[in-house]
């Protein structure tokens, strides 16, 4: 069981509201990621971080922003939510298990966001 | 263009039966291929990871195969259980970037009926 947490699990809000999706991990991983996933579709990388004070945009253009002030915490913020932001947001972190030759990405349970 | 294609898109089988899910990819240069299981409303969980030198790898009732020459992988599930109902996602990592860029398939939605 991966030690990566997301809150809230479900969020329904009105257009124009500012929201922050929380993500935290207790595995000490430097690399963290945010993905967006629509039903039946593949995951799209929207943000990633190599470590504290490092953030980069992913492949899918997103109006959200992220910050990485602490290793364990990687929140995602939408300044003004719109219906087009309705989606599932998955947070992940990656690290190498002892004896492994490659990193494994561990995913949080996701936040299902609905913007009315 | 780096892509990962999975088939079938969805599959319904009876409990106790076997099934095989397919994954074709064009990602290059290739680093590794993973199969993830994603339960409804949850994040994906890694089942297996394979590098180009590995042809087959098992994890309980799950057996993954990889043909790096034809860029194809399969996930075979033996003696299916109701709890196997989930989306199975094929993920390929390239080794051409520092990040280790992941390419996700859209998944195969498996439903196991009693």
């Amino acid at each position: 069981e991966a030690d990566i947490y997301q809150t809230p699990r479900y969020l329904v809000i009105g257009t124009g509201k500012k929201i922050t999706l929380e993500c935290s991990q207790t595995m000490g991983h430097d690399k963290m990621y945010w993905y967006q996933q629509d039903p039946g579709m593949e995951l799209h990388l929207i943000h990633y971080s190599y470590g504290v004070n490092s953030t980069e945009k992913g492949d899918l253009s997103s109006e959200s922003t992220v910050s990485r002030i602490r290793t364990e915490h990687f929140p995602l913020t939408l300044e003004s939510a719109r219906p087009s932001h309705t989606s599932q947001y998955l947070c992940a972190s990656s690290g190498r298990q002892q004896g492994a030759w490659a990193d494994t990405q561990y995913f949080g349970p996701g936040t299902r966001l609905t913007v009315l | 263009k780096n892509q990962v294609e999975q088939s079938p898109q969805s599959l319904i089988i009876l409990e106790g039966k076997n099934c095989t899910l397919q994954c074709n990819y064009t990602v290059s240069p290739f680093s590794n291929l993973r199969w993830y299981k994603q339960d409804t409303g949850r994040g994906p969980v890694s089942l297996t990871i394979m590098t180009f030198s590995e042809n087959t790898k098992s994890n309980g009732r799950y057996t993954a195969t990889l043909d790096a020459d034809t860029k194809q992988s399969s996930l075979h599930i033996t003696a299916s259980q109701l709890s196997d109902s989930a989306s199975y996602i094929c993920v390929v990592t390239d080794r051409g970037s520092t990040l280790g860029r992941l390419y996700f398939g859209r998944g195969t939605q498996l439903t196991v009926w009693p």
Side-chain angles (χ1 to χ4, degrees), chain B residues 10-56:
Chain B
S10 61
L11 182 62
I12 300 174
I13 61 173
L14 295 177
E15 186 178 15
K17 298 297 185 182
N18 304 334
C19 67
T20 301
L21 314 180
Q22 300 290 342
C23 174
N24 296 336
Y25 63 91
T26 59
V27 177
S28 180
F30 173 84
S31 176
N32 60 73
L33 183 147
R34 297 177 189 272
W35 283 94
Y36 280 86
K37 178 186 180 187
Q38 185 177 21
D39 292 314
T40 301
R42 308 289 296 181
V45 175
S46 180
L47 294 174
T48 65
I49 177 173
M50 302 177 73
T51 183
F52 66 91
S53 62
E54 297 177 294
N55 299 120
T56 185

Side-chain angles (χ1 to χ4, degrees), chain A residues 1 9-10 31 33 35 37 40-45 48-50 59 88 90 101-110, chain B residues 9 31-32 34 36 38 41-46 49-51 54 57 87 89 98-107:
Chain A
E1 189 80 17
R9 293 292 315 280
Y10 303 92
K31 297 176 185 174
Y33 315 79
Y35 292 91
Q37 184 184 31
M41 302 297 286
E42 63 267 49
L43 279 72
H44 291 285
L45 182 67
Y48 62 95
S49 168
Y50 285 120
D59 304 314
Q88 167 133 326
L90 288 161
W101 52 268
D103 288 355
T104 294
Q105 279 207 2
Y106 298 91
F107 287 85
Chain B
Q9 183 176 348
S31 176
N32 60 73
R34 297 177 189 272
Y36 280 86
Q38 185 177 21
R42 308 289 296 181
V45 175
S46 180
I49 177 173
M50 302 177 73
T51 183
E54 297 177 294
K57 180 169 283 188
S87 178
I89 304 172
T98 305
L99 180 64
R101 176 75 170 83
L102 271 62
Y103 295 87
F104 291 82
R106 293 186 177 184

Side-chain angles (χ1 to χ4, degrees), chain A residues 8-106:
Chain A
R9 293 292 315 280
Y10 303 92
L11 181 61
V12 181
I13 61 169
T15 297
K17 299 293 185 183
K18 177 180 179 179
I19 60 166
T20 296
L21 307 185
E22 301 288 348
C23 175
S24 61
Q25 50 96 5
T26 58
M27 296 174 282
H29 290 163
D30 288 325
K31 297 176 185 174
M32 294 190 74
Y33 315 79
W34 276 102
Y35 292 91
Q36 188 173 338
Q37 184 184 31
D38 292 320
M41 302 297 286
E42 63 267 49
L43 279 72
H44 291 285
L45 182 67
I46 52 175
H47 297 282
Y48 62 95
S49 168
Y50 285 120
V52 172
N53 294 325
S54 152
T55 61
E56 302 287 343
K57 288 190 178 295
D59 304 314
L60 183 67
S61 176
S62 175
E63 294 164 345
S64 58
T65 59
V66 292
S67 63
R68 190 86 183 278
I69 299 173
R70 303 199 314 266
T71 297
E72 62 270 23
H73 198 213
F74 192 38
L76 180 145
T77 299
L78 275 166
E79 290 292 333
S80 179
R82 294 205 302 271
S84 61
H85 296 139
T86 295
S87 188
Q88 167 133 326
Y89 293 84
L90 288 161
C91 179
S93 70
S94 68
R96 191 158 301 187
Q97 294 174 306
Q98 193 171 10
W101 52 268
D103 288 355
T104 294
Q105 279 207 2
Y106 298 91

